[in-house]
Amino acid sequence: VLSGLSKPWGMPGEHFEKVVMLRDYTTMCLPHHSEILSMIALQEAETFLKRNRQICDENYRLLQEFLLRMSDWFYPLVQEKQVQAESPFPFRASTVFPRLKHPLGGLGSALDALESPSSLAEHLASEYSICMIVSEKFEFDCPAVRFGIGMSSFPKSLQMLEEALNDIRSRAESA
């Protein structure tokens, strides 16, 4: 972790590995290298942030479209203020918590086994190898799901979730 720069700057992993490969360590002293990489990132802030803002903007748009397609499962996101007028999707965070509708999937008693967000997360993990973090883990008062939209792999993950939820729906309807 690079002193809080991991999300907006996209600094973990690849950049740090390049520094680590330069030396042979018997012990790791990460804070010094983290400090150096953090200073480099802060000096080139716009370079790092521009790329990650573009990823978040595009993934936010994809998530909104997904939530509208999956309206039996989720409420759409509501954005109260437009942060920057020049961006059609000025959302500026890499984590989003859309609310889940209840009954899950709008299927009522057909999905009794999936009575809570946690049971849905457990089912997705065991049956579809999809990891979903739900609001109960964050002590939220309403049922919601955590989406990390700062990764370039987000569209593929969203597609997998949509296929799984559609499969759950078709199985419940045919039961």
Side-chain angles (χ1 to χ4, degrees), residues 70-91:
M70 305 302 287
S71 62
D72 287 344
W73 292 91
F74 299 96
Y75 292 99
L77 295 171
V78 177
Q79 195 169 334
E80 305 247 342
K81 296 180 180 179
Q82 295 292 327
V83 178
Q84 294 180 351
E86 70 272 6
S87 174
F89 301 99
F91 187 79

Side-chain angles (χ1 to χ4, degrees), residues 2 5 7-12 15 37-55:
L2 299 174
L5 296 178
K7 296 282 191 250
W9 273 263
M11 289 294 292
H15 302 288
L37 288 174
S38 297
M39 287 188 293
I40 293 168
L42 290 171
Q43 289 170 355
E44 297 296 325
E46 197 51 40
T47 302
F48 285 96
L49 293 174
K50 182 179 179 182
R51 174 188 168 272
N52 293 329
R53 284 181 188 137
Q54 290 171 339
I55 291 170

Side-chain angles (χ1 to χ4, degrees), residues 52-61 91 93-94 149-150:
N52 293 329
R53 284 181 188 137
Q54 290 171 339
I55 291 170
C56 285
D57 284 350
E58 176 61 17
N59 288 343
Y60 182 81
R61 184 187 64 74
F91 187 79
S94 61
I149 63 171

Side-chain angles (χ1 to χ4, degrees), residues 2-175:
L2 299 174
S3 304
L5 296 178
S6 63
K7 296 282 191 250
W9 273 263
M11 289 294 292
E14 179 181 327
H15 302 288
F16 184 73
E17 287 173 15
K18 290 176 185 174
V19 173
V20 171
M21 290 173 54
L22 296 175
R23 301 183 77 170
D24 182 22
Y25 293 99
T26 55
T27 61
M28 295 295 282
C29 185
L30 300 179
H32 180 68
H33 296 300
S34 293
E35 183 178 336
I36 291 169
L37 288 174
S38 297
M39 287 188 293
I40 293 168
L42 290 171
Q43 289 170 355
E44 297 296 325
E46 197 51 40
T47 302
F48 285 96
L49 293 174
K50 182 179 179 182
R51 174 188 168 272
N52 293 329
R53 284 181 188 137
Q54 290 171 339
I55 291 170
C56 285
D57 284 350
E58 176 61 17
N59 288 343
Y60 182 81
R61 184 187 64 74
L62 292 173
L63 179 60
Q64 280 285 46
E65 291 171 2
F66 166 82
L67 296 174
L68 293 173
R69 282 193 310 276
M70 305 302 287
S71 62
D72 287 344
W73 292 91
F74 299 96
Y75 292 99
L77 295 171
V78 177
Q79 195 169 334
E80 305 247 342
K81 296 180 180 179
Q82 295 292 327
V83 178
Q84 294 180 351
E86 70 272 6
S87 174
F89 301 99
F91 187 79
R92 290 294 184 242
S94 61
T95 305
V96 185
F97 287 89
R99 290 185 307 134
L100 277 166
K101 289 186 177 179
H102 199 273
L104 295 176
L107 296 171
S109 62
L111 285 178
D112 282 341
L114 302 179
E115 60 194 26
S116 70
S118 288
S119 61
L120 174 62
E122 290 170 16
H123 183 73
L124 287 169
S126 66
E127 297 295 319
Y128 300 94
S129 298
I130 293 174
C131 178
M132 175 184 280
I133 308 298
V134 294
S135 55
E136 295 159 356
K137 303 297 180 194
F138 297 95
E139 300 179 4
F140 285 6
D141 290 337
C142 64
V145 175
R146 179 195 181 278
F147 285 92
I149 63 171
M151 301 287 289
S152 57
S153 61
F154 180 76
K156 178 65 175 160
S157 300
L158 199 60
Q159 179 185 356
M160 290 172 59
L161 177 60
E162 184 167 0
E163 290 169 4
L165 293 176
N166 284 333
D167 186 54
I168 291 169
R169 172 187 312 288
S170 66
R171 288 182 185 196
E173 290 174 340
S174 64

